[in-house]
Amino acid sequence: MVTGSAERGALDGLRVADFSRVLAGPYATMLLADLGADVVKVERPGIGDDTRAWHPPADHDGTSTYFLSVNRNKRSVALDLTTYTGLGHARALIAESDVLVENFRPGTMERLGLGERELRARHPGLVYCSISGFGSGAGADVPGYDLLVQAVGGLMSVTGDAAGEPTKAGVALVDVITGLHASLGILAALRHRDATGEGQHVEVNLLGSLLSAMVNQASAFAVAGVVPGRLGNAHPSIAPYETFPAADRPIALAVGNDRQFAALAEAVGAPGLADDERFRTNADRVAHRAALRDILGERLGAAGADHWSAVLLAAGVPAGPVNTLDEAFAFAHKLGLPGIVDIPDADGGDGPPARQIANPITLSGTPARYRLPPPGLGRHTAEIVHRLSDHHHNRTDRTDRPPHPRSSR
């Protein structure tokens, strides 16, 4: 476990107005916050981010662990964007920000008077990031849920056993990939702004992010017209590159070249496999995958996964057991990798620290910092509104109200 923080972050001084919720946007802004950005999370009063209600499981205070996973290092301000007072505070927050991130359904921010064109006309240096499910064109009205995108984007068609049902990934992987793309796009736009003084509109969507992340599978279709199917845990272009049943639990083999295969054959006591004409090259092994699987399965079934992992790794063969999540964290700890970090209560209270998953980016000079635990809903409203009060006029006496924004989720 890791505690504490460095003195400076790579993004110190960067201010982010975060109007996003659920996963892709909050994940992107958390990464920026870990690297030093001052992120203010704008939430609906009394409701907040949808994921606040996504439990069980929850922590000791009843806060959803889903919400906790992507909202550290942020301050929460509760603003009612259907009122002129709330919008006034929002505009004042944006006026002092370098970056705005939103993932409302396309058109919602425009109806509120917070659209990219209007805001960038007032603040030319603003980097405005919009995250959607299916873009701002013909797919603007399609809700952007990760499961839906995994289905229509083809990921489920290549995931699962060949004889079974199409299967989703065990986490909202498309949201995470999209959040990574969003944070990269924001940083690229900021680099351009540093050189020119001009902000720009960064747009990412879940479907486009998934198609990009399908890499070799998508390339197989684009280049060769191949529509891949499900192979279980096998790889369409490499063998053996899948899981095998050991005596106690499955073990994964990731044999990427002929040298590793020869070492594998020697380690399992079947050196002749490397000279077998069916298995001499990777292409041969892919063509005779079923026969190779039967042979290796018989050998590996004679001992446990941990035994084979030790033997194979010693021989230079990439191999490891299929771990449960607790075993995965234990493995990371064994390797000296910071899997879990503890963030003390920002108010210095006696409550237990917030347990968080470590940021995986290592920077030698300005490492990720863990300054604030995930905030309670509206925890920093008074502090932030007080600071913003000099930037706008209170218009609570207005009787007309803007339309309520439609959620994109």
Side-chain angles (χ1 to χ4, degrees), residues 209-233:
S209 293
L210 173 58
L211 294 177
S212 173
M214 294 283 282
V215 288
N216 60 300
Q217 298 282 42
S219 180
F221 168 71
V223 177
V226 174
V227 178
R230 298 186 301 283
L231 291 174
N233 291 320

Side-chain angles (χ1 to χ4, degrees), residues 34 249 391:
D34 285 353
R249 56 173 169 162
H391 294 276

Side-chain angles (χ1 to χ4, degrees), residues 321-340:
V322 176
N323 284 331
T324 56
L325 196 55
D326 57 332
E327 292 169 330
F329 277 111
F331 183 55
H333 180 72
K334 179 181 178 180
L335 298 178
L337 300 177
I340 296 176

Side-chain angles (χ1 to χ4, degrees), residues 290-322:
L292 179 59
R293 178 176 173 81
D294 289 343
I295 294 170
L296 291 176
E298 182 178 354
R299 297 278 178 167
L300 295 169
D306 289 338
H307 165 81
W308 284 120
S309 295
V311 169
L312 294 174
L313 287 174
V317 179
V322 176

Side-chain angles (χ1 to χ4, degrees), residues 48-378:
D49 191 309
D50 294 353
T51 60
R52 288 186 182 274
W54 289 6
H55 53 74
D59 72 355
H60 66 284
D61 285 332
T63 304
S64 160
T65 58
Y66 202 118
F67 174 84
L68 295 174
S69 70
V70 290
N71 284 292
R72 67 169 170 256
N73 283 334
K74 304 176 187 180
R75 293 180 292 162
S76 171
V77 57
L79 299 179
D80 186 350
L81 300 181
T82 67
T83 69
Y84 284 100
T85 298
L87 278 175
H89 291 317
R91 291 191 178 104
L93 174 65
I94 294 165
E96 67 172 24
S97 298
D98 303 284
V99 178
L100 182 153
V101 180
E102 62 91 11
N103 64 348
F104 286 112
R105 184 172 293 181
T108 298
M109 291 290 273
E110 285 74 13
R111 288 192 294 274
L112 290 170
L114 300 176
E116 180 266 336
R117 290 186 180 180
E118 179 175 343
L119 290 180
R120 288 196 56 245
R122 298 179 182 179
H123 314 292
L126 180 67
V127 172
Y128 190 112
C129 178
S130 297
I131 302 172
S132 65
F134 299 91
S136 57
D141 289 331
V142 182
Y145 283 93
D146 185 278
L147 172 62
L148 177 60
V149 180
Q150 288 198 35
V152 302
L155 180 58
M156 289 176 64
S157 76
V158 298
T159 307
D161 291 330
E165 294 184 356
T167 305
K168 73 177 182 67
V171 296
L173 190 63
V174 182
D175 270 321
V176 173
I177 293 168
T178 305
L180 290 169
H181 286 162
S183 60
L184 176 60
I186 289 168
L187 293 176
L190 287 169
R191 179 72 176 106
H192 173 77
R193 193 191 70 171
D194 288 344
T196 67
E198 297 178 358
Q200 59 183 293
H201 194 188
V202 178
E203 294 184 88
V204 294
N205 65 81
L206 272 64
L207 180 58
S209 293
L210 173 58
L211 294 177
S212 173
M214 294 283 282
V215 288
N216 60 300
Q217 298 282 42
S219 180
F221 168 71
V223 177
V226 174
V227 178
R230 298 186 301 283
L231 291 174
N233 291 320
H235 193 287
S237 305
I238 312 172
Y241 198 96
E242 57 184 297
T243 57
F244 293 84
D248 54 353
R249 56 173 169 162
I251 183 173
L253 302 184
V255 178
N257 56 53
D258 296 340
R259 177 186 56 78
Q260 290 176 349
F261 181 71
L264 168 65
E266 184 76 31
V268 299
L273 287 179
D275 296 320
D276 189 315
E277 63 181 9
R278 297 172 297 173
F279 311 132
R280 284 177 182 167
T281 70
N282 178 69
D284 295 330
R285 294 190 290 274
V286 171
H288 299 92
R289 184 198 312 276
L292 179 59
R293 178 176 173 81
D294 289 343
I295 294 170
L296 291 176
E298 182 178 354
R299 297 278 178 167
L300 295 169
D306 289 338
H307 165 81
W308 284 120
S309 295
V311 169
L312 294 174
L313 287 174
V317 179
V322 176
N323 284 331
T324 56
L325 196 55
D326 57 332
E327 292 169 330
F329 277 111
F331 183 55
H333 180 72
K334 179 181 178 180
L335 298 178
L337 300 177
I340 296 176
V341 296
D342 287 334
I343 307 178
D345 188 330
D347 296 324
D350 296 329
R355 307 202 80 195
Q356 293 278 291
I357 310 308
N359 187 307
I361 302 170
T362 298
L363 296 176
S364 61
T366 53
R369 296 181 295 167
Y370 307 99
R371 309 179 307 278
L372 297 170
L377 175 58

